[in-house]
Amino acid sequence: MAEKDKFPMTLAIRQLLKENVSFSSHLYDYEEKGGTTVSSRELGVNEHSVIKTLVMETETKEPLIVLMHGDLQVSTKQLARDLGVKTISACKPEVADRHTGYQVGGTSPFGTKKKMPVYMEKSILDLEKIYINGGKRGYLVSLSPKEVVRVLQPQLVHVGVVASGS
């Protein structure tokens, strides 16, 4: 794989290579707080196929990862119900960084420092190809969502809701 010189060697990429995942690298100009709107615009792809890696926690501070379409939000109420916990909320950025070993904005579900349960919006599997963070701000990898399932074995959930105000 000659392409390997061209992309950042993050923990996520190490895991993808180790697991023999077929993926492509996409670097773009990162914008603070730009999120999937910026990355989808920069790469010229539908925001629905750009997958956010969200680090959340239960009321007992148990961390978990939620993979969600860029153009949707997570219904934390529905997710909490599905998981049988009282509440689920986003981790503070510094807490998320500690759990994953990545900087918020560059969080990948692959190669995280701490092993956490992963929940993936079921409809992500309907896409042929997704774009997901490669472990660095301004860096996405594209791959088949089936590879995400193979490597991370996420629990499939149906908790995506249209972002309010969009």
Side-chain angles (χ1 to χ4, degrees), residues 115-131:
K115 193 140 176 58
M116 295 170 270
V118 178
Y119 298 90
M120 180 165 100
E121 180 64 19
K122 200 172 168 178
S123 55
I124 291 172
L125 281 173
D126 299 340
L127 300 169
E128 200 174 307
K129 181 170 38 171
I130 58 169
Y131 295 80

Side-chain angles (χ1 to χ4, degrees), residues 53-54 63-67 79 83 108-110 112 114-121 132 148-149 151-157:
T53 303
L54 304 166
L64 56 114
I65 288 177
V66 181
L67 301 179
L79 186 58
L83 302 186
S108 177
F110 301 106
T112 55
K114 181 176 189 171
K115 193 140 176 58
M116 295 170 270
V118 178
Y119 298 90
M120 180 165 100
E121 180 64 19
I132 198 160
V148 175
V149 171
V151 175
L152 298 177
Q153 296 166 350
Q155 191 170 323
L156 298 179
V157 292

Side-chain angles (χ1 to χ4, degrees), residues 35-50:
T36 55
T37 307
V38 169
S39 52
S40 63
R41 180 192 72 213
E42 290 290 312
L43 299 175
V45 298
N46 186 325
E47 191 176 4
H48 194 67
S49 63
V50 179

Side-chain angles (χ1 to χ4, degrees), residues 10-11 30 32 53 55 92-109 112-113 133-139:
T10 63
L11 291 169
Y30 176 78
E32 193 71 40
T53 303
V55 183
K92 289 189 173 79
E94 59 277 11
V95 174
D97 291 356
R98 239 190 352 260
H99 289 317
T100 63
Y102 297 117
Q103 239 183 332
V104 167
T107 305
S108 177
T112 55
K113 214 160 64 175
N133 202 289
K136 185 180 187 322
R137 291 175 171 182
Y139 179 47

Side-chain angles (χ1 to χ4, degrees), residues 54-59 64-66 68 72-91 119 121 157-162:
L54 304 166
V55 183
M56 300 190 153
E57 61 188 13
T58 65
E59 73 279 1
L64 56 114
I65 288 177
V66 181
M68 181 55 68
L72 295 181
Q73 287 179 337
V74 174
S75 164
T76 51
K77 282 191 175 89
Q78 184 59 52
L79 186 58
R81 270 197 298 271
D82 289 357
L83 302 186
V85 297
K86 276 196 191 105
T87 60
I88 287 187
S89 55
C91 285
Y119 298 90
E121 180 64 19
V157 292
H158 186 66
V159 296
V161 290
V162 175

